Amino acid sequence: MLIKPGPNGVDIPFASEITPRDVFESRRTFIRQLAVGSIAGGALAQMAAREAFAQSAVTKLAAKSNPAYVVMEKTTSYKDATSYNNFYEFGTDKADPAQYAGTLKTRPWTVAIEGEVKKPVTLDIDTLLKLAPLEERVYRLRCVEGWSMVIPWIGYSLAELIRKVEPNGNAKYVEFISLADKAQMPGLRNPVLEWPYVEGLRMDEANHPLAMLALGMYGEVLPNQNGAPVRIVLPWKYGFKSAKSIVKIRFTRDQPKTAWNISAPQEYGFYSNVNPLVDHPRWSQATERRIGEDGFLTRKRKTLMFNGYNEVASLYTGMDLKKFF
Ligand SMILES: Nc1nc2c(c(=O)[nH]1)N[C@H]1C(S)=C(S)[C@@H](COP(=O)(O)O)O[C@H]1N2
Ligand SMILES: [Mo]
């Protein structure tokens, strides 16, 4: 929605409706006007201040740190966490998501909750932001490729959402479905995976308090390349289980068919718990490279069972984790 034109005829939307894209567009207008000399000195400072306010009003996300979920390790730099990404919908190179995810339109955004649930509902992003108190949690993230990061996420336990929609007795699994829109996601042209990107959990895994619905990181809303505006974060599983930019959550009777498992079932199992004792068929999983520590003489870190999150071990008692990898 647009309100009255600002000085120099530039329409300024309400701060709450300014998206990073809008800020980008208004900056372009601003620069163009600067170039043709149509902005006077005072107005210039005023516009800069308003733009700074608009940006902060939109991107900052307040959250209370939850000390029970803070890993005592140096957090990865914001720059590394936002420029070294896997988000194949925007390309398969690590730098592609940062370069191309600007086209992702994160507002309006809804997540449809359906399947074996008493209260199916479609929630918009503002409702999700208010569904439960936002917490900051610093989690390790271990990619199946052998690198790891430490990221301060903002969100709450997925269990909070599950409780509100009341799964019925048939719900044994939950499926997370990412957006798949060719107009916004150039990587969908590549059939490297079956689109949309789908991930899933058993219900007890999804209800474990560590499993997080994330809406932000580093004190801000999620950058597009990290899965804006809402994603899953599962710190005891390989990174690919943590589906980005989700539009659907479906409760099911049967184990979901997940994107990486479909593409290479012998390499990527449904569970995909971090496990240094179960190697990937093509490489060891015993050690990892912490992003930001990769100097010439830096030693690799030992990968920990469940990525160090031993509190999930009881979910898997009696299961052969070599078989259910
Ligand atoms: N939709 C979608 N989600 C995804 C991926 C993807 O390609 N598409 N990549 C996964 C992989 S392999 C990893 S390691 C993490 C990376 O998350 P980050 O970029 O926020 O660190 O996102 C996961 N979620
Ligand atoms: Mo990954």
Side-chain angles (χ1 to χ4, degrees), residues 85-89 141 143 178 197 226 231 239-240 242 244:
N85 303 100
N86 279 334
F87 198 169
Y88 278 17
E89 289 87 335
L141 180 114
C143 177
S178 297
Y197 193 99
N226 295 86
R231 70 176 294 173
F240 69 83
S242 297
K244 293 178 168 179

Side-chain angles (χ1 to χ4, degrees), residues 151-164:
I151 297 185
W153 301 106
I154 296 171
Y156 43 80
S157 291
L158 182 58
E160 299 273 2
L161 173 67
I162 295 175
R163 196 161 48 86
K164 294 216 158 75

Side-chain angles (χ1 to χ4, degrees), residues 175 194 196-200 254-262 270:
E175 195 174 24
E194 238 176 55
Y197 193 99
V198 174
E199 260 311 331
D254 301 321
Q255 185 176 299
K257 291 184 177 30
T258 56
W260 281 102
N261 185 246
I262 292 168
F270 175 77

Side-chain angles (χ1 to χ4, degrees), residues 62-138:
K64 198 161 166 271
S65 173
N66 184 336
Y69 297 107
V70 175
V71 159
M72 290 299 173
E73 288 170 23
K74 188 170 172 284
T75 54
T76 300
S77 73
Y78 181 82
K79 185 164 189 300
D80 281 344
T82 57
S83 60
Y84 188 90
N85 303 100
N86 279 334
F87 198 169
Y88 278 17
E89 289 87 335
F90 294 101
T92 55
D93 286 351
K94 294 287 178 283
D96 284 345
Q99 189 174 355
Y100 301 115
T103 51
L104 180 67
K105 191 171 183 290
T106 58
R107 269 175 191 270
W109 189 280
T110 58
V111 178
I113 299 166
E114 54 179 56
E116 303 290 351
V117 48
K118 291 181 198 139
K119 296 182 173 166
V121 65
T122 295
L123 300 173
D124 66 25
I125 196 66
D126 291 311
T127 306
L128 285 169
L129 280 161
K130 288 183 221 122
L131 191 99
L134 295 177
E135 295 180 358
E136 179 173 77
R137 303 180 179 187
V138 182

